[in-house]
Short mmCIF file of all heavy atoms in Angstrom, two decimals:
data_model
loop_
_atom_site.label_atom_id
_atom_site.label_comp_id
_atom_site.label_asym_id
_atom_site.label_seq_id
_atom_site.Cartn_x
_atom_site.Cartn_y
_atom_site.Cartn_z
N THR B 27 4.42 -18.95 -10.12
CA THR B 27 4.93 -20.29 -9.84
C THR B 27 4.17 -20.92 -8.68
O THR B 27 3.77 -22.08 -8.74
CB THR B 27 6.44 -20.22 -9.48
OG1 THR B 27 7.12 -19.51 -10.52
CG2 THR B 27 7.04 -21.61 -9.35
N TYR B 28 3.95 -20.11 -7.65
CA TYR B 28 3.22 -20.63 -6.49
C TYR B 28 1.81 -21.09 -6.88
O TYR B 28 1.39 -22.19 -6.51
CB TYR B 28 3.12 -19.59 -5.37
CG TYR B 28 2.16 -20.06 -4.31
CD1 TYR B 28 2.53 -21.05 -3.41
CD2 TYR B 28 0.86 -19.57 -4.26
CE1 TYR B 28 1.64 -21.53 -2.47
CE2 TYR B 28 -0.04 -20.06 -3.32
CZ TYR B 28 0.36 -21.03 -2.44
OH TYR B 28 -0.53 -21.53 -1.53
N PHE B 29 1.09 -20.27 -7.62
CA PHE B 29 -0.29 -20.61 -7.95
C PHE B 29 -0.38 -21.76 -8.96
O PHE B 29 -1.45 -22.31 -9.19
CB PHE B 29 -1.07 -19.39 -8.46
CG PHE B 29 -1.60 -18.53 -7.35
CD1 PHE B 29 -1.17 -17.22 -7.19
CD2 PHE B 29 -2.53 -19.04 -6.45
CE1 PHE B 29 -1.66 -16.43 -6.16
CE2 PHE B 29 -3.01 -18.26 -5.42
CZ PHE B 29 -2.58 -16.96 -5.26
N ASN B 30 0.74 -22.14 -9.57
CA ASN B 30 0.73 -23.28 -10.47
C ASN B 30 1.07 -24.59 -9.76
O ASN B 30 1.10 -25.65 -10.39
CB ASN B 30 1.70 -23.04 -11.63
CG ASN B 30 1.07 -22.15 -12.68
OD1 ASN B 30 -0.12 -22.25 -12.96
ND2 ASN B 30 1.85 -21.25 -13.26
N THR B 31 1.30 -24.53 -8.44
CA THR B 31 1.49 -25.78 -7.70
C THR B 31 0.11 -26.33 -7.33
O THR B 31 -0.84 -25.57 -7.19
CB THR B 31 2.32 -25.57 -6.41
OG1 THR B 31 1.68 -24.58 -5.60
CG2 THR B 31 3.73 -25.12 -6.74
N PRO B 32 0.00 -27.68 -7.17
CA PRO B 32 -1.31 -28.27 -6.84
C PRO B 32 -1.80 -27.74 -5.50
O PRO B 32 -1.00 -27.55 -4.58
CB PRO B 32 -1.01 -29.77 -6.75
CG PRO B 32 0.28 -29.97 -7.47
CD PRO B 32 1.06 -28.71 -7.31
N ASP B 33 -3.08 -27.53 -5.39
CA ASP B 33 -3.73 -27.11 -4.14
C ASP B 33 -3.34 -25.71 -3.67
O ASP B 33 -3.60 -25.35 -2.53
CB ASP B 33 -3.46 -28.09 -3.00
CG ASP B 33 -3.93 -29.49 -3.35
OD1 ASP B 33 -5.01 -29.60 -3.97
OD2 ASP B 33 -3.22 -30.46 -3.02
N ALA B 34 -2.69 -24.94 -4.50
CA ALA B 34 -2.33 -23.57 -4.11
C ALA B 34 -3.58 -22.71 -4.08
O ALA B 34 -4.34 -22.68 -5.04
CB ALA B 34 -1.33 -22.99 -5.09
N LYS B 35 -3.82 -22.06 -2.95
CA LYS B 35 -5.05 -21.28 -2.81
C LYS B 35 -4.82 -19.83 -2.46
O LYS B 35 -5.62 -18.96 -2.77
CB LYS B 35 -5.93 -21.91 -1.73
CG LYS B 35 -6.64 -23.13 -2.21
CD LYS B 35 -7.49 -23.73 -1.12
CE LYS B 35 -8.12 -25.03 -1.59
NZ LYS B 35 -8.63 -25.82 -0.45
N GLU B 36 -3.73 -19.57 -1.76
CA GLU B 36 -3.55 -18.25 -1.18
C GLU B 36 -2.08 -17.95 -0.94
O GLU B 36 -1.33 -18.83 -0.51
CB GLU B 36 -4.30 -18.24 0.16
CG GLU B 36 -4.38 -16.90 0.82
CD GLU B 36 -5.23 -16.97 2.08
OE1 GLU B 36 -6.46 -17.00 1.95
OE2 GLU B 36 -4.66 -17.00 3.18
N VAL B 37 -1.68 -16.72 -1.23
CA VAL B 37 -0.31 -16.33 -0.94
C VAL B 37 -0.34 -14.91 -0.35
O VAL B 37 -1.22 -14.10 -0.68
CB VAL B 37 0.57 -16.41 -2.22
CG1 VAL B 37 0.21 -15.32 -3.21
CG2 VAL B 37 2.05 -16.36 -1.89
N VAL B 38 0.58 -14.65 0.57
CA VAL B 38 0.63 -13.34 1.22
C VAL B 38 1.92 -12.62 0.81
O VAL B 38 3.01 -13.16 0.96
CB VAL B 38 0.58 -13.47 2.76
CG1 VAL B 38 0.63 -12.09 3.41
CG2 VAL B 38 -0.67 -14.21 3.20
N LEU B 39 1.77 -11.41 0.26
CA LEU B 39 2.93 -10.58 -0.06
C LEU B 39 3.20 -9.68 1.14
O LEU B 39 2.31 -8.95 1.57
CB LEU B 39 2.64 -9.71 -1.28
CG LEU B 39 2.10 -10.40 -2.54
CD1 LEU B 39 1.85 -9.36 -3.64
CD2 LEU B 39 3.06 -11.46 -3.03
N LYS B 40 4.41 -9.74 1.68
CA LYS B 40 4.75 -8.90 2.83
C LYS B 40 5.82 -7.90 2.44
O LYS B 40 6.83 -8.27 1.83
CB LYS B 40 5.27 -9.75 4.00
CG LYS B 40 4.21 -10.56 4.69
CD LYS B 40 4.73 -11.02 6.06
CE LYS B 40 3.67 -11.83 6.78
NZ LYS B 40 3.98 -12.02 8.20
N ALA B 41 5.62 -6.65 2.80
CA ALA B 41 6.60 -5.62 2.44
C ALA B 41 6.66 -4.57 3.53
O ALA B 41 5.73 -4.40 4.31
CB ALA B 41 6.19 -4.96 1.12
N ARG B 42 7.79 -3.86 3.58
CA ARG B 42 7.85 -2.71 4.47
C ARG B 42 8.62 -1.58 3.82
O ARG B 42 9.41 -1.80 2.90
CB ARG B 42 8.43 -3.08 5.83
CG ARG B 42 9.78 -3.69 5.81
CD ARG B 42 10.15 -4.15 7.22
NE ARG B 42 11.43 -4.82 7.19
CZ ARG B 42 11.89 -5.62 8.13
NH1 ARG B 42 11.15 -5.86 9.19
NH2 ARG B 42 13.07 -6.18 8.04
N GLY B 43 8.36 -0.37 4.29
CA GLY B 43 9.04 0.80 3.75
C GLY B 43 8.79 0.97 2.26
O GLY B 43 7.67 0.74 1.77
N ARG B 44 9.83 1.33 1.54
CA ARG B 44 9.72 1.62 0.11
C ARG B 44 9.22 0.42 -0.71
O ARG B 44 8.71 0.60 -1.82
CB ARG B 44 11.08 2.08 -0.44
CG ARG B 44 11.48 3.46 0.00
CD ARG B 44 10.75 4.55 -0.79
NE ARG B 44 10.54 5.73 0.03
CZ ARG B 44 9.54 6.60 -0.16
NH1 ARG B 44 8.67 6.43 -1.14
NH2 ARG B 44 9.39 7.63 0.63
N ALA B 45 9.41 -0.80 -0.19
CA ALA B 45 8.98 -1.99 -0.93
C ALA B 45 7.46 -2.14 -0.99
O ALA B 45 6.95 -2.96 -1.75
CB ALA B 45 9.61 -3.23 -0.31
N ILE B 46 6.74 -1.32 -0.22
CA ILE B 46 5.28 -1.38 -0.23
C ILE B 46 4.74 -1.10 -1.63
O ILE B 46 3.85 -1.78 -2.12
CB ILE B 46 4.70 -0.38 0.82
CG1 ILE B 46 4.90 -0.95 2.22
CG2 ILE B 46 3.23 -0.08 0.54
CD1 ILE B 46 4.50 -0.01 3.35
N THR B 47 5.31 -0.11 -2.29
CA THR B 47 4.89 0.20 -3.66
C THR B 47 5.14 -1.00 -4.58
O THR B 47 4.31 -1.33 -5.43
CB THR B 47 5.66 1.42 -4.19
OG1 THR B 47 5.47 2.50 -3.29
CG2 THR B 47 5.18 1.83 -5.56
N THR B 48 6.27 -1.66 -4.40
CA THR B 48 6.59 -2.84 -5.22
C THR B 48 5.56 -3.95 -4.99
O THR B 48 5.12 -4.60 -5.93
CB THR B 48 8.00 -3.37 -4.88
OG1 THR B 48 8.93 -2.29 -4.90
CG2 THR B 48 8.44 -4.43 -5.86
N ALA B 49 5.14 -4.13 -3.73
CA ALA B 49 4.14 -5.16 -3.42
C ALA B 49 2.83 -4.90 -4.17
O ALA B 49 2.21 -5.83 -4.70
CB ALA B 49 3.91 -5.23 -1.91
N VAL B 50 2.41 -3.64 -4.20
CA VAL B 50 1.19 -3.29 -4.93
C VAL B 50 1.38 -3.55 -6.43
O VAL B 50 0.50 -4.11 -7.09
CB VAL B 50 0.79 -1.81 -4.68
CG1 VAL B 50 -0.44 -1.44 -5.51
CG2 VAL B 50 0.51 -1.57 -3.20
N ASP B 51 2.55 -3.19 -6.95
CA ASP B 51 2.85 -3.46 -8.36
C ASP B 51 2.79 -4.96 -8.66
O ASP B 51 2.22 -5.37 -9.68
CB ASP B 51 4.25 -2.94 -8.73
CG ASP B 51 4.32 -1.42 -8.79
OD1 ASP B 51 3.26 -0.78 -8.89
OD2 ASP B 51 5.44 -0.88 -8.75
N VAL B 52 3.36 -5.78 -7.78
CA VAL B 52 3.37 -7.23 -7.98
C VAL B 52 1.94 -7.77 -8.04
O VAL B 52 1.57 -8.52 -8.95
CB VAL B 52 4.15 -7.95 -6.84
CG1 VAL B 52 3.97 -9.46 -6.92
CG2 VAL B 52 5.63 -7.57 -6.91
N ALA B 53 1.09 -7.33 -7.08
CA ALA B 53 -0.30 -7.78 -7.05
C ALA B 53 -1.03 -7.36 -8.32
O ALA B 53 -1.72 -8.17 -8.96
CB ALA B 53 -1.01 -7.21 -5.82
N GLU B 54 -0.86 -6.11 -8.73
CA GLU B 54 -1.58 -5.59 -9.89
C GLU B 54 -1.11 -6.20 -11.20
O GLU B 54 -1.91 -6.56 -12.05
CB GLU B 54 -1.45 -4.06 -9.94
CG GLU B 54 -2.33 -3.34 -8.94
CD GLU B 54 -3.81 -3.55 -9.23
OE1 GLU B 54 -4.27 -3.16 -10.32
OE2 GLU B 54 -4.50 -4.12 -8.37
N ILE B 55 0.20 -6.33 -11.37
CA ILE B 55 0.73 -6.90 -12.62
C ILE B 55 0.34 -8.38 -12.74
O ILE B 55 -0.07 -8.83 -13.81
CB ILE B 55 2.27 -6.73 -12.69
CG1 ILE B 55 2.61 -5.24 -12.87
CG2 ILE B 55 2.86 -7.56 -13.83
CD1 ILE B 55 4.09 -4.92 -12.71
N THR B 56 0.43 -9.13 -11.64
CA THR B 56 0.08 -10.55 -11.68
C THR B 56 -1.39 -10.71 -12.08
O THR B 56 -1.74 -11.49 -12.96
CB THR B 56 0.30 -11.21 -10.31
OG1 THR B 56 1.62 -10.92 -9.86
CG2 THR B 56 0.13 -12.72 -10.41
N ARG B 57 -2.23 -9.91 -11.44
CA ARG B 57 -3.66 -10.03 -11.64
C ARG B 57 -4.07 -9.56 -13.05
O ARG B 57 -4.87 -10.21 -13.72
CB ARG B 57 -4.36 -9.15 -10.58
CG ARG B 57 -5.83 -9.36 -10.40
CD ARG B 57 -6.32 -8.56 -9.21
NE ARG B 57 -6.09 -7.12 -9.35
CZ ARG B 57 -6.87 -6.32 -10.09
NH1 ARG B 57 -7.90 -6.80 -10.72
NH2 ARG B 57 -6.60 -5.03 -10.17
N ARG B 58 -3.53 -8.47 -13.50
CA ARG B 58 -3.97 -7.90 -14.77
C ARG B 58 -3.36 -8.57 -15.99
O ARG B 58 -4.01 -8.75 -17.01
CB ARG B 58 -3.65 -6.41 -14.81
CG ARG B 58 -4.61 -5.57 -13.97
CD ARG B 58 -4.09 -4.17 -13.80
NE ARG B 58 -3.57 -3.61 -15.04
CZ ARG B 58 -4.24 -2.82 -15.87
NH1 ARG B 58 -5.47 -2.49 -15.58
NH2 ARG B 58 -3.68 -2.35 -16.95
N ARG B 59 -2.07 -8.92 -15.90
CA ARG B 59 -1.40 -9.39 -17.09
C ARG B 59 -1.35 -10.91 -17.20
O ARG B 59 -1.27 -11.45 -18.28
CB ARG B 59 0.05 -8.89 -17.12
CG ARG B 59 0.13 -7.46 -17.58
CD ARG B 59 1.52 -7.20 -18.18
NE ARG B 59 2.11 -6.01 -17.62
CZ ARG B 59 3.41 -5.80 -17.54
NH1 ARG B 59 4.27 -6.73 -17.94
NH2 ARG B 59 3.87 -4.69 -17.03
N PHE B 60 -1.34 -11.60 -16.05
CA PHE B 60 -1.05 -13.03 -16.10
C PHE B 60 -2.14 -13.95 -15.57
O PHE B 60 -2.40 -14.99 -16.14
CB PHE B 60 0.26 -13.31 -15.36
CG PHE B 60 1.44 -12.61 -15.94
CD1 PHE B 60 1.97 -11.48 -15.33
CD2 PHE B 60 2.02 -13.06 -17.12
CE1 PHE B 60 3.05 -10.80 -15.88
CE2 PHE B 60 3.10 -12.40 -17.67
CZ PHE B 60 3.62 -11.27 -17.06
N MET B 61 -2.77 -13.60 -14.47
CA MET B 61 -3.72 -14.53 -13.85
C MET B 61 -4.98 -13.79 -13.43
O MET B 61 -5.09 -13.35 -12.30
CB MET B 61 -3.08 -15.16 -12.61
CG MET B 61 -1.72 -15.80 -12.87
SD MET B 61 -1.16 -16.73 -11.43
CE MET B 61 -2.11 -18.23 -11.65
N ASP B 62 -5.93 -13.68 -14.37
CA ASP B 62 -7.10 -12.87 -14.03
C ASP B 62 -8.03 -13.56 -13.03
O ASP B 62 -9.01 -12.98 -12.58
CB ASP B 62 -7.85 -12.41 -15.29
CG ASP B 62 -8.14 -13.56 -16.23
OD1 ASP B 62 -7.93 -14.72 -15.82
OD2 ASP B 62 -8.58 -13.31 -17.36
#
Side-chain angles (χ1 to χ4, degrees):
Chain B
T27 307
Y28 170 75
F29 277 117
N30 280 322
T31 56
D33 302 320
K35 283 179 184 164
E36 188 175 283
V37 71
V38 180
L39 309 179
K40 287 197 180 194
R42 57 186 177 198
R44 288 282 149 206
I46 285 174
T47 305
T48 311
V50 177
D51 288 342
V52 171
E54 284 295 299
I55 291 170
T56 309
R57 193 172 60 79
R58 284 168 44 96
R59 281 205 230 154
F60 300 103
M61 307 189 80
D62 51 9

